[in-house]
Amino acid sequence: SEAGNKLITSEKSTDKNSEQAKILIEENAKLHENYKNIEMELNNTKSQLNYYKNKHDILSLLNETETLYKNRNYEKAASNLIRMKNMKLDDELKTEFDKLWSEVKAKGLWIIYNDGNKLYKQGKYKEALPKLIITSELDSSLDIMPWITYQIAKCYKATNDNTNALIFFKKVKNNYPNSEYASYSEGMIREIESKKINNK
């Protein structure tokens, strides 16, 4: 009888422990679920904050660019726009960006190019290079793009950056095969590549 009572008490104790274990498991699952929800909300808040911070930064950059444009500092305005070209912009910012891009391109493109071309002709390749690159990025459909691309390649070569020189000479050869600069570029490519071989 005593042994039977001990067995019943032991079974009751086991059932009670098992019940408590179930409750603990359920509470743990609820806590885990709450934690996941809080973590998700926190991540959403961080994303929103990042979005507004980025939007604020982009808006500041657009405002700065507009001021530069109004002050006729076309080169810096164009540099800012080129930097922003691959940023994610919402519709409002994209409209503002496109408007500024058109204005800078319309009024500043030839001023920037003429400055670069003048420096190029004076043999000031290092100073000419950024102006020529900006011109090519502002409007890659210009009729004189074969010449501008060739000028960029020559500037790189003159400043001993043969890696970039090769890239741009090849760009002239591949993108503008019917231009006179394609054959000039081919000669330059051979010259750079033979120097590479001789230096090995």
Side-chain angles (χ1 to χ4, degrees):
S1 162
E2 198 175 313
N5 285 340
K6 279 183 183 174
L7 188 61
I8 290 165
T9 306
S10 173
E11 282 174 2
K12 281 183 183 174
S13 173
T14 304
D15 286 348
K16 192 175 180 184
N17 286 344
S18 152
E19 192 63 38
Q20 283 176 339
K22 268 187 194 173
I23 291 167
L24 284 172
I25 288 168
E26 284 171 14
E27 283 177 359
N28 191 28
K30 281 180 189 172
L31 283 172
H32 185 70
E33 188 64 33
N34 287 343
Y35 171 76
K36 283 283 182 200
N37 289 338
I38 289 166
E39 193 176 40
M40 210 162 75
E41 282 176 33
L42 187 63
N43 286 336
N44 286 341
T45 306
K46 278 182 187 172
S47 293
Q48 282 180 329
L49 280 171
N50 284 338
Y51 169 77
Y52 287 113
K53 184 188 178 303
N54 287 343
K55 185 167 182 171
H56 176 266
D57 291 348
I58 291 167
L59 205 51
S60 295
L61 195 53
L62 279 170
N63 289 336
E64 178 194 313
T65 304
E66 191 167 14
T67 303
L68 289 165
Y69 166 72
K70 284 177 181 171
N71 293 332
R72 295 190 172 142
N73 193 337
Y74 301 124
E75 191 176 337
K76 280 190 180 173
S79 291
N80 280 359
L81 291 171
I82 290 163
R83 241 178 47 219
M84 294 171 67
K85 197 164 64 170
N86 296 321
M87 290 181 180
K88 284 187 178 178
L89 306 174
D90 63 20
D91 292 343
E92 179 192 347
L93 292 175
K94 183 83 171 83
T95 303
E96 185 62 27
F97 173 86
D98 289 343
K99 178 177 162 267
L100 261 173
W101 185 281
S102 297
E103 288 171 351
V104 170
K105 187 170 120 177
K107 290 205 177 157
L109 179 80
W110 291 108
I111 292 169
I112 297 166
Y113 173 71
N114 288 334
D115 285 349
N117 190 43
K118 186 176 166 186
L119 289 163
Y120 175 86
K121 287 180 176 177
Q122 292 170 354
K124 296 177 179 175
Y125 300 112
K126 195 175 180 180
E127 294 91 333
L129 186 58
K131 295 173 190 291
L132 297 170
I133 290 171
I134 287 169
T135 305
S136 73
E137 292 199 27
L138 262 181
D139 189 354
S140 58
S141 65
L142 291 170
D143 290 342
I144 62 166
M145 271 314 290
W147 167 235
I148 293 172
T149 311
Y150 182 77
Q151 284 181 296
I152 292 169
K154 287 270 293 199
C155 286
Y156 276 125
K157 185 176 183 293
T159 55
N160 295 317
D161 185 346
N162 285 333
T163 304
N164 278 314
L166 265 178
I167 290 167
F168 280 87
F169 282 129
K170 285 177 180 177
K171 200 182 263 194
V172 174
K173 188 182 156 206
N174 297 331
N175 295 358
Y176 314 104
N178 299 325
S179 77
E180 60 183 298
Y181 304 105
S183 59
Y184 301 156
S185 293
E186 208 166 321
M188 291 293 183
I189 291 166
R190 277 198 300 271
E191 183 189 319
I192 292 169
E193 285 179 341
S194 70
K195 274 184 186 174
K196 264 185 178 178
I197 293 164
N198 292 336
N199 289 338
K200 281 184 180 178

